[in-house]
Amino acid sequence: MKQPIHIILIGVLLCTFLPLRLSAQSAEAKLLPSRDSLRISLLTCAAGEEIYTLFGHTAIRCENLTRKTDVVYNYGVFDFSSGGFVLRFALGETDYRLDKGRTDYFAHAYYYYGRDIWQQVLNLTQEEKERLIALLEENYRPENRVYRYNFFYDNCSTRPRDKVEEAVEGSVDYGADMEAPTAHTFRELVYRYSEGHPWSRLAMDLCLGSEADKPISRRTMQFVPFLLQADLTQAQVVDSIGQKRPLVSQESLLVKAMPKEKSRGDGLTPELCGWLCFAVTLLLTVHGLRRRKSLWGVDVFWLSAAGLSGCVLAFLAFLSQHPCMSPNYLLFVFHPLHLLGLAEVVYKERRGRLSLYQTANLIILTLFMMFWGAFPQEFPPTVVPLALCLWTRSLAHLVGVKRNRR
């Protein structure tokens, strides 16, 4: 059957130009940049044996499956060998920095030191992933990567959390009122995560003032990487129209570390050492009273030790920018005035005369122990025998002077 001439012409034109059009579209598609396949995870690292590793660590892993790159952004890098690091850390002027490195290097280091790594894959959209990487890269610029570290409020755990929250389209709902006070305190969390390391616990406990015993919010508790990890497990992203999706899509153990023997604090604990010191001091004091000897050398030892300790506590309470260091009511027991009173104590005791400093110290220590429970601060148990050592020596001085006057 004959076809109309115009239909034949249209067919010829389509057969001629359609391949050219498809070829042009294919060429144009090749010029358009394809979007990378990204996977972003939050890494939570197990605790270590050093005092600065007891609370674990948090980092962000970014995998570009298209370009075959796999890097970790790490907010916990510092240079311990830098000049004046210890002094600057005590002052609260420690600068940490954001570092970026290969994930396999990062994982191997934690494997070697016996620290597991858990991975939480974040359930982010492509735009949110790109935004998060852009935020991290901007933070990684040389002029931006150094930040003023704050153990409780701005550390390796809170920084990644803040970046994730900034990147999501909407908000992160943790399923609870994150700003309401809880029954937990900074000191309680320090106790919990320093278990098995009694000397490290004592060092931190002595330095923390009464502010560390105030209730903190659940959001503030996320300074501990393990608590942030637990909160992220149940967190949801709420977009602009109220739709929710889990923030974490998958959890797994990324690194099962090489087992290492860990310290359990089975040796002499601070509390046991404190009571041994008190027992020795009490025996020496009884011996001195029976022999009518002042034993002023023992007083020099205890007043010097308490005075030097007091210098550290006073420095942290009055000069450090670290939070929760002031006020510290342990300054009633350990304070720099012990060093200033040494000369008067030694002079009076060697001459068998009443020392005003020892008298004042006895009154202060007696009141401190009487009203122990009234202070808005939780004191470590080790303080009891140490305070009794000072109290015993002050009381022995007054008893000795009174006996010599008879």
Side-chain angles (χ1 to χ4, degrees), residues 37-50:
S37 177
L38 304 173
R39 181 166 60 195
I40 300 181
S41 309
L42 201 77
L43 304 181
T44 303
C45 309
E49 291 295 296
E50 301 296 333

Side-chain angles (χ1 to χ4, degrees), residues 228-286:
L228 174 63
Q229 179 190 18
D231 284 343
L232 289 180
T233 300
Q234 57 189 11
Q236 292 185 315
V237 177
V238 184
D239 62 21
S240 57
I241 61 174
Q243 293 184 337
K244 296 183 178 181
R245 68 178 187 275
L247 178 58
V248 175
S249 61
Q250 181 183 352
E251 297 187 67
S252 61
L253 181 63
L254 180 64
V255 173
K256 179 60 179 176
M258 181 172 58
K260 284 182 176 289
E261 184 179 353
K262 295 186 177 181
S263 171
R264 291 298 173 189
D266 295 330
L268 286 177
T269 64
E271 192 171 354
L272 178 58
C273 287
W275 285 109
L276 288 176
C277 288
F278 173 66
V280 173
T281 301
L282 184 61
L283 290 175
L284 290 174
T285 300
V286 172

